[in-house]
Amino acid sequence: MKYIIAAIKPFKLEEVREALTSIGVRGMMVTEIKGFGAQSGHTEIYRGAEYAVNFVPKLKLEIAVSDAMADQVVETLQKTAKTDKIGDGKIFVLDLASATRVRTGETGDDAL
């Protein structure tokens, strides 16, 4: 099993969710986050005063999938989250040692 973590632009969430659902992803967790990378924040003007925004708002998606689906999920995320502008995000893939469905006690791929 693989655990995929993706940081994406917030306005891309619904498009990404629909694309993942269409390839068979049955669930994911979404968290609002702030971060910086190559984008390094920016300056904004509020009530006439300029200030630096050092952290940019993003969404963190966490998706557990079978090994067989991992490459397709990464490819789908990359295609649908892409805007061709700096700050599109990152995708990380980690090995997932175990998963257990709380309600039924199912483990491994059955728990996904």
Side-chain angles (χ1 to χ4, degrees):
M1 294 177 297
K2 299 292 183 192
Y3 192 63
I4 300 170
I5 302 169
I8 66 168
K9 291 183 175 184
F11 69 88
K12 293 298 256 176
L13 177 62
E14 193 57 30
E15 184 181 347
V16 167
R17 186 197 63 78
E18 288 174 5
L20 290 173
T21 301
S22 73
I23 64 165
V25 172
R26 294 174 42 198
M28 68 177 164
M29 294 177 280
V30 180
T31 310
E32 292 181 6
I33 61 170
K34 292 182 180 184
F36 75 92
Q39 201 172 7
S40 300
H42 58 283
T43 58
E44 290 185 2
I45 297 175
Y46 178 72
R47 293 190 177 180
E50 187 174 300
Y51 64 99
V53 178
N54 295 319
F55 292 95
V56 180
K58 302 280 185 194
L59 292 178
K60 178 171 79 169
L61 311 180
E62 297 172 80
I63 308 161
V65 295
S66 65
D67 288 331
M69 280 192 71
D71 289 340
Q72 187 179 13
V73 169
V74 169
E75 184 179 314
T76 301
L77 281 166
Q78 199 276 325
K79 283 181 182 175
T80 55
K82 183 177 180 177
T83 66
D84 285 325
K85 294 187 174 78
I86 194 165
D88 276 350
K90 295 277 192 297
I91 302 169
F92 304 102
V93 180
L94 295 82
D95 287 323
L96 182 58
S98 70
T100 304
R101 186 183 307 267
V102 174
R103 180 176 54 85
T104 63
E106 293 169 296
T107 59
D109 284 347
D110 294 335
L112 303 178

